[in-house]
Amino acid sequence: ILRVNCRVTSRFAHTVITSKIINRANESREATFEVELPKTAFITNFSMSIDGKVYPGIIKEKASAQREYDAAVSQGQSAGLVKITGRKLEQFHVSVSIAAASKVTFELVYEELLKRQLGLFELLIKVRPQQLVKHFQIDVHIFEPQGIRFLETDSTFMTNELTEALTKVQNETKAHILFKPTVDQQKVNPELDETLLNGDFLVRYDVKRVATAGDIQIVNGYFVHYFAPQEMPVFPKNVIFVIDRSGSMAGRKIEQTREALLKILQDLRPEDHFSCITFNNKVSEWKSVLLQATAENVASAAGFVQTIMARGGTDINHALLTAVRVLDKAERLPEQSVSMIILLTDGQPTSGESKVEVIQENIQKAVNGKYALFCLGFGFDVSYNFLEKMALSNGGIARRLYENADAALQLQGFYQEVATPILMKIEMRYPENAVEGLTKNNFKLFFEGSEIIKSGAVLMVSFLPLQHGSDLTLKEEANVKEKEQVFQNQSYIFGNFIERLWAYLTIQQLLEKSISAQEEQQKALEARALELSLQYGFVTPLTSMVVTKPTGQQQTELANKPTEAGKWVLNSPLGMCGC
């Protein structure tokens, strides 16, 4: 048996994966449970039940869990039950020896807040049972009080026969997706016992939006405020592409970079201004000034991009300071425009200033809050910690690009996310003494197709939040009793889901803020994130789940949350094993 049950309530997804295995052999055998889950998810529970006896996972502070493990295991170091396996996924793996004719039931629970990108929310379920499963099903329930505007399912393994096992039912606010293939439908062909189920099962959707100032939802004293204004004019961009052409970029990487840049240049709007800088141990500028994205200038820049060759060292400091200087001296730019720098590099700084702390300090001082810096790290030789801290300190984000065949598409996809800024300097205000424990309140930029999510505890019967974006003020009134009635008697609700959403979002934001914080503040942020992780039972980078096994086996194992900047283990991902 292998079941995936997922309930999505107002973007917050609660997923339970259950696998039951029977040992039909005449001797003890190893039973393996292997699941790939989204990197953005937090594991909240795991248990093994062997012949009726339950072995639960217990979430503890990471350091104390490691000490406990070291004391219990002679070799003193855990291989870890969780490791990163790709750009969106991490893998949970546990195995246990079970006696002949015995049964084991594994259950893993995780939660995540779905993020809106390019106008859609995406729920990703990895399907990889590696064998035919007698009872297999994916059961997804979605409840969105705002109404479901768009819904689609997609998969990388679907055939005509498997399509017959998929049903979708949808009304104004709810959707139910059930995928329940028989053993025969799972087969590659009738003669072979090989499974077709190997790949991604995706549910994409978006919600209806009426209120300009967003939608507020309230359950049991906690609120969540979703803000994604529609049909706003797009601000012109002033963008500088800073491209690494050092020796390590040679070959496929530089080809893919050229290919992506040529397409990105074509996507610039006529009112945008832009320039291109390339660097190795020396910095080369296409032009030393920003130019408007006319057809003639775009064609000239495309010619420059075609000539990029990879050789030499990596002077990131000089390249970024040159980009800041070009933006600083730019003239006659549109009054309401957004200035940004997009850095693409695949390595460490090796030329010029090579100390990352000095580079971070230099760039933050030069940018001085005026521009947004986005850092793209190509492959695994980059110091992702360095890029992430530099981006977050300067109003941007960092992203890792994978050295796959679709690296050019990854770069284009990132650009599309930041290509259409529609609001700047957004501040969400609430009346004094109306709310507390608020998540992040100020947002430098808002891009079309994304969504701002704000959450906290409610202290008043009604409150009036305001959004300020540039020179725009929006208002929305929320009556707590009316809002709470929306969720009364809804079978899709799992507990105090908005309170858990608030805790999830708060932990994510505390951890992100700690990356660019000074040491003392970093400790305080991590302490608060740890407190919430333990209180709400989340496996985060600060906690571990201690998994105990039956007597006679390696009794204790740890499930830790890997991070993008941490140690990477890339292996060929396997999947979920069931009966």
Side-chain angles (χ1 to χ4, degrees):
I1 296 172
L2 185 55
R3 289 197 305 266
V4 181
N5 291 318
C6 183
R7 285 178 288 170
V8 182
T9 307
S10 290
R11 291 73 147 171
F12 198 57
H14 176 91
T15 302
V16 182
I17 298 175
T18 308
S19 174
K20 292 185 181 177
I21 298 172
I22 302 169
N23 181 7
R24 302 188 190 279
N26 297 321
E27 58 187 11
S28 292
R29 289 281 170 88
E30 192 102 322
T32 299
F33 177 70
E34 203 161 81
V35 171
E36 288 183 272
L37 60 147
K39 283 183 193 174
T40 50
F42 289 155
I43 291 171
T44 63
N45 200 13
F46 171 73
S47 66
M48 290 183 290
S49 176
I50 302 172
D51 292 335
K53 184 173 181 183
V54 178
Y55 299 85
I58 298 164
I59 296 172
K60 298 188 175 185
E61 188 261 330
K62 194 172 188 174
S64 67
Q66 187 67 49
R67 284 195 298 272
E68 191 176 306
Y69 176 86
D70 291 347
V73 183
S74 57
Q75 63 264 38
Q77 193 60 45
S78 169
L81 299 179
V82 187
K83 51 195 171 190
I84 292 174
T85 54
R87 75 185 66 151
K88 290 184 178 179
L89 296 164
E90 58 196 31
Q91 181 193 82
F92 179 92
H93 173 113
V94 69
S95 58
V96 63
S97 178
I98 57 170
S102 287
K103 300 174 186 176
V104 59
T105 301
F106 299 101
E107 184 178 276
L108 181 74
V109 184
Y110 62 85
E111 294 176 348
E112 63 175 319
L113 182 59
L114 303 182
K115 186 178 178 184
R116 189 169 184 253
Q117 287 184 307
L118 302 175
L120 292 175
F121 301 100
E122 182 179 277
L123 177 72
L124 167 61
I125 297 168
K126 196 71 176 179
V127 179
R128 232 168 239 189
Q130 300 182 96
Q131 63 189 54
L132 299 173
V133 181
K134 191 175 179 183
H135 302 287
F136 177 94
Q137 75 172 41
I138 295 174
D139 196 10
V140 179
H141 288 269
I142 298 171
F143 175 46
E144 288 289 350
Q146 286 173 262
I148 297 170
R149 179 189 68 79
F150 171 85
L151 175 74
E152 70 173 9
T153 58
D154 192 9
S155 93
T156 56
F157 55 79
M158 201 62 72
T159 62
N160 289 338
E161 289 77 18
L162 285 174
T163 303
E164 292 171 14
L166 178 67
T167 57
K168 272 193 300 184
V169 180
Q170 181 188 345
N171 64 21
E172 183 71 16
T173 58
K174 295 177 185 176
H176 179 210
I177 295 129
L178 181 65
F179 179 55
K180 198 174 180 180
T182 64
V183 170
D184 285 342
Q185 287 172 322
Q186 294 172 41
K187 288 183 177 181
V188 172
N189 67 52
E191 284 74 45
L192 293 173
D193 284 347
E194 287 181 28
T195 180
L196 284 162
L197 305 183
N198 185 353
D200 299 342
F201 185 86
L202 299 156
V203 179
R204 298 188 189 96
Y205 74 93
D206 196 21
V207 301
K208 295 176 180 175
R209 290 177 178 81
V210 180
T212 314
D215 185 71
I216 294 165
Q217 296 167 17
I218 301 170
V219 173
N220 295 337
Y222 281 81
F223 81 94
V224 61
H225 184 176
Y226 298 108
F227 179 57
Q230 304 295 290
E231 297 171 8
M232 303 281 285
V234 175
F235 287 131
K237 294 187 302 299
N238 313 310
V239 57
I240 300 186
F241 302 100
V242 182
I243 307 301
D244 184 345
R245 57 181 169 89
S246 61
S248 55
M249 285 284 289
R252 190 77 184 108
K253 280 194 225 174
I254 205 72
E255 287 170 21
Q256 290 173 318
T257 302
R258 282 197 297 259
E259 180 189 335
L261 274 174
L262 291 172
K263 289 191 170 71
I264 287 169
L265 289 171
Q266 295 303 320
D267 287 341
L268 288 169
R269 296 165 181 262
E271 62 271 22
D272 291 339
H273 289 71
F274 77 106
S275 192
C276 299
I277 291 172
T278 64
F279 69 96
N280 48 22
N281 47 305
K282 294 180 181 174
V283 173
S284 296
E285 297 176 74
W286 164 62
K287 303 287 181 188
S288 58
V289 293
L290 280 177
L291 291 180
Q292 194 168 345
T294 61
E296 187 182 350
N297 286 336
V298 167
S300 169
F304 174 77
V305 167
Q306 296 274 27
T307 66
I308 299 174
M309 301 296 288
R311 62 173 73 88
T314 309
D315 191 347
I316 293 173
N317 185 68
H318 186 195
L320 286 176
L321 290 177
T322 302
V324 173
R325 179 179 51 77
V326 172
L327 285 171
D328 280 345
K329 68 176 190 179
E331 296 175 348
R332 295 191 296 279
L333 297 177
E335 194 175 329
Q336 289 278 9
S337 60
V338 172
S339 296
M340 61 177 75
I341 298 166
I342 298 177
L343 167 71
L344 171 66
T345 181
D346 77 331
Q348 312 274 1
T350 58
S351 300
E353 181 55 68
S354 59
K355 290 180 182 170
V356 293
E357 297 82 6
V358 176
I359 297 172
Q360 285 163 347
E361 195 178 316
N362 289 347
I363 303 312
Q364 191 170 354
K365 189 176 176 184
V367 170
N368 196 26
K370 296 173 291 195
Y371 319 123
L373 171 62
F374 299 96
C375 296
L376 303 177
F378 208 144
F380 297 96
D381 294 327
V382 296
S383 169
Y384 192 83
N385 263 333
F386 161 56
L387 295 182
E388 187 173 37
K389 184 171 182 177
M390 195 159 58
L392 292 172
S393 300
N394 293 286
I397 58 170
R399 185 78 57 84
R400 193 188 293 276
L401 299 183
Y402 293 76
E403 295 180 51
N404 297 341
D406 70 342
L409 289 174
Q410 293 175 54
L411 181 50
Q412 287 167 246
F414 173 81
Y415 174 75
Q416 285 169 358
E417 288 177 44
V418 300
T420 50
I422 57 175
L423 286 174
M424 291 187 285
K425 298 174 186 170
I426 305 111
E427 183 181 359
M428 304 177 82
R429 294 182 189 167
Y430 303 85
E432 254 184 90
N433 305 320
V435 293
E436 68 176 7
L438 290 174
T439 56
K440 186 176 173 182
N441 203 37
N442 294 286
F443 302 85
K444 185 163 185 164
L445 292 170
F446 177 78
F447 298 99
E448 192 173 63
S450 62
E451 181 177 63
I452 287 174
I453 302 176
K454 181 89 183 159
S455 187
V458 178
L459 304 176
M460 287 175 67
V461 175
S462 69
F463 61 96
L464 187 75
L466 309 174
Q467 288 77 38
H468 287 262
S470 309
D471 300 323
L472 180 69
T473 301
L474 305 169
K475 297 182 181 181
E476 172 78 5
E477 186 162 6
N479 182 288
V480 174
K481 282 187 178 163
E482 282 177 18
K483 293 286 182 184
E484 286 196 313
Q485 281 172 1
V486 173
F487 293 97
Q488 298 301 315
N489 307 315
Q490 294 291 351
S491 60
Y492 289 19
I493 306 305
F494 48 96
N496 294 336
F497 88 93
I498 290 185
E499 185 177 350
R500 292 193 66 77
L501 183 158
W502 166 81
Y504 171 99
L505 192 58
T506 302
I507 292 165
Q508 292 273 34
Q509 291 177 354
L510 287 167
L511 292 172
E512 183 179 287
K513 196 173 177 184
S514 73
I515 291 166
S516 56
Q518 297 299 317
E519 189 177 354
E520 199 173 313
Q521 191 196 10
Q522 188 178 60
K523 284 179 181 173
L525 293 166
E526 287 181 352
R528 177 62 178 147
L530 172 61
E531 182 188 352
L532 289 172
S533 301
L534 293 170
Q535 184 182 341
Y536 288 93
F538 289 127
V539 178
T540 70
L542 302 171
T543 55
S544 295
M545 179 178 281
V546 180
V547 177
T548 306
K549 295 184 182 181
T551 308
Q553 304 185 41
Q554 180 178 318
Q555 277 206 273
T556 306
E557 290 194 82
L558 295 184
N560 295 324
K561 174 83 176 167
T563 62
E564 191 71 52
K567 187 181 176 186
W568 270 69
V569 183
L570 280 171
N571 63 349
S572 51
L574 297 170
M576 303 177 284
C577 300
C579 62

